[in-house]
Amino acid sequence: MIDPTVVGYGTFFVLIGAIVIGVPIAWAISGVSFLALFLLYGVGPTISQFYTTAFSSAGEFLFSAVPLFIFAGQLISKARIGEDLFDTMHKWFGRLPGGLLVSTVSASAAFGAVTGVSAAAVGTMAKVAMPEMIRYKYDVKMSAGAIACASTIAIMLPPSLLLIIYGLQTETSISKLFIAGIVPGILMAIIFSAYNIIRCSLNPELGPRGPRFSWRERFLSLGKLSPVVIIFGVVIGGLYNGFFTPGESAAVCAFAVLVYSVATRRVKVRDIIDAAYDAVSLSAMVFAILIAMTVFSRVLIATRVTSDLVDVISSAGLNMYVVLALFVLLLLVLAMFLDALGMLLLTLPFMFPVIVGLGFDPIWFGIIIVLMSEVGLITPPVGMNIFILSKSLPDVPTLEMFRGAWPYVALCLGLVILFTVFPQIVLWLPNSM
């Protein structure tokens, strides 16, 4: 009989190899999990394991939040709400040094507050903000980096798809995770904006000041923020006060966006169908990875890989912050090769038991791992946001975009340190629920 421990560690290394050579992550995880269970139990129990996992995992009511929030995000993109947000922020912040960069960061944060999907934010801001930056002769490298990095705020602010997945995989309150993401998300927007203002103040050629708008124009532009403020306020207010579950809040969000888009005639029937199709396609990919990862987690439990890792770290006597630093370093390396969702699901079975065992708060760690996932969206060679941006801006070299994004990687790592030293920045709002 094959030693289960050998199967467990062998499975992990085969999985890493499959991902490195380019096998889609859902297929890679499913394939190695099937092989491991086959070696341990045979064909019949293996097939039964996949069958029961698919229905028990995807049938969870909370999973209904995933396609609904994705649908809302797709519909918002088609309703041109991003253009309204950028126009409003431009009128308020465009006169600052690097004002268009600050406007992009602010609009991306507001856009993310009702979408939760980074790809939608970067695609929208590339079409809306970049022409204005070119018009005012902004530094192209800095502009592209700002767009790619500002859009990552979307997966920190609720409704965040990654926070939903984290909560489901770790059985952590999704409502509290959503609320916990508010302060870090706003703080990210402030720090990114401050960085742009300081750099452009020191070197005005990087980001000249924009035109001056009257106070009347500024206040009138605030009306364009009303749909975002109302939708975000209803969803988050309902979660904070316990009126909605995450699944119900997703339904309210999707319905509100649909009503607004139709009432204002911003979308046609074809746009609604396209948004639904995109939501189904992305949801299917997410569910495929989730089901595969659930089976893989069972493989790790059956082969005692996770428990062995916890025992080794516990017996090593390492300081809890040293372990955390090693995990952050590992996440930084993995972020260079895996997409955000893949990195999250691949590392949780190993890291989460150790982190909780060391005494870290699971809600706090959810924010940390999502923050590191944001870093993965802008680091080479994968850098999903950079490649989405490169399709919208084919004249800008991809290498220049990555170079423009590096300062924001440093800022994100600085935030990890800040949240570690002062965890109440993350926890005080969810603890007050």
Side-chain angles (χ1 to χ4, degrees):
M1 181 178 179
I2 300 177
D3 186 350
T5 304
V6 174
V7 173
Y9 287 106
T11 299
F12 180 74
F13 288 113
V14 171
L15 174 60
I16 295 297
I19 293 173
V20 168
I21 65 175
V23 178
I25 190 165
W27 289 106
I29 297 172
S30 298
V32 298
S33 299
F34 188 93
L35 177 61
L37 291 173
F38 170 74
L39 292 174
L40 291 172
Y41 306 118
V43 176
T46 300
I47 294 175
S48 176
Q49 190 77 264
F50 271 83
Y51 177 82
T52 55
T53 300
F55 281 92
S56 63
S57 297
E60 183 73 37
F61 176 72
L62 284 173
F63 274 108
S64 62
V66 174
L68 288 170
F69 276 132
I70 293 175
F71 173 69
Q74 295 294 331
L75 205 56
I76 284 170
S77 298
K78 297 181 185 299
R80 303 186 306 281
I81 291 178
E83 297 176 18
D84 291 344
L85 293 173
F86 181 78
D87 180 67
T88 300
M89 299 304 173
H90 183 198
K91 286 182 170 60
W92 280 90
F93 303 121
R95 191 59 185 162
L96 295 170
L100 289 176
L101 299 173
V102 178
S103 302
T104 300
V105 172
S106 305
S108 295
F111 192 77
V114 286
T115 60
V117 180
S118 179
V122 69
T124 300
M125 288 302 131
K127 296 174 184 176
V128 174
M130 199 63 188
E132 289 296 303
M133 294 182 187
I134 292 173
R135 176 185 169 193
Y136 288 101
K137 296 181 173 55
Y138 271 57
D139 180 76
V140 175
K141 178 178 71 175
M142 189 170 180
S143 301
I147 293 173
C149 301
S151 60
T152 63
I153 301 173
I155 62 172
M156 179 64 76
L157 290 168
S160 165
L161 179 60
L162 284 189
L163 286 176
I164 294 174
I165 302 305
Y166 175 88
L168 291 170
Q169 290 297 102
T170 62
E171 299 182 356
T172 304
S173 169
I174 296 176
S175 298
K176 288 194 173 186
L177 286 168
F178 276 2
I179 300 301
I182 295 175
V183 173
I186 294 174
L187 192 57
M188 284 182 67
I190 292 172
I191 289 175
F192 286 0
S193 297
Y195 162 76
N196 289 318
I197 292 172
I198 292 170
R199 277 205 67 185
C200 294
S201 296
L202 296 174
N203 186 357
E205 292 183 359
L206 293 176
R209 295 175 184 268
R212 189 185 300 276
F213 293 94
S214 68
W215 284 104
R216 182 176 182 276
E217 289 176 299
R218 291 179 180 181
F219 282 111
L220 285 176
S221 70
L222 291 178
K224 296 180 179 179
L225 291 179
S226 57
V228 172
V229 172
I230 293 171
I231 294 170
F232 183 78
V234 170
V235 171
I236 299 306
L239 284 171
Y240 184 83
N241 292 292
F243 297 145
F244 304 145
T245 65
E248 291 166 348
S249 69
V252 170
C253 180
F255 180 73
V257 172
L258 180 61
V259 169
Y260 170 79
S261 302
V262 173
T264 55
R265 298 182 179 180
R266 290 186 167 225
V267 295
K268 301 176 181 178
V269 174
R270 181 73 255 174
D271 295 322
I272 297 173
I273 294 173
D274 289 343
Y277 178 82
D278 292 341
V280 169
S281 299
L282 185 55
S283 299
M285 180 199 73
V286 172
F287 283 138
I289 297 175
L290 282 171
I291 292 168
M293 202 64 228
T294 303
V295 177
F296 184 63
S297 298
R298 296 183 180 183
V299 170
L300 296 179
I301 293 171
T303 56
R304 293 189 54 80
V305 170
T306 302
S307 58
D308 286 349
L309 180 63
V310 173
D311 292 341
V312 168
I313 293 177
S314 300
S315 61
L318 295 175
N319 182 278
M320 59 190 294
Y321 294 104
V322 173
V323 176
L324 177 65
L326 293 174
F327 280 171
V328 169
L329 180 61
L330 175 61
L331 290 169
L332 183 61
V333 173
L334 291 176
M336 297 180 181
F337 302 98
L338 298 175
D339 63 90
L341 180 59
M343 186 185 79
L344 179 76
L345 291 174
L346 186 63
T347 54
L348 276 181
F350 296 95
M351 291 188 179
F352 187 75
V354 175
I355 287 294
V356 174
L358 290 172
F360 289 104
D361 189 285
I363 293 175
W364 173 87
F365 184 65
I367 300 303
I368 295 298
I369 199 169
V370 167
L371 183 55
M372 292 306 299
S373 300
E374 292 177 348
V375 172
L377 292 171
I378 53 177
T379 49
V382 177
M384 190 62 67
N385 278 14
I386 298 293
F387 285 106
I388 293 173
L389 187 61
S390 66
K391 292 180 180 179
S392 301
L393 305 172
D395 296 333
V396 182
T398 303
L399 182 60
E400 288 296 293
M401 294 183 184
F402 277 121
R403 290 177 60 191
W406 273 113
Y408 297 92
V409 173
L411 292 175
C412 288
L413 293 176
L415 282 170
V416 171
I417 297 172
L418 178 67
F419 296 155
T420 302
V421 177
F422 303 104
Q424 285 306 311
I425 295 175
V426 174
L427 297 174
W428 74 270
L429 196 56
N431 287 342
S432 69
M433 289 176 67

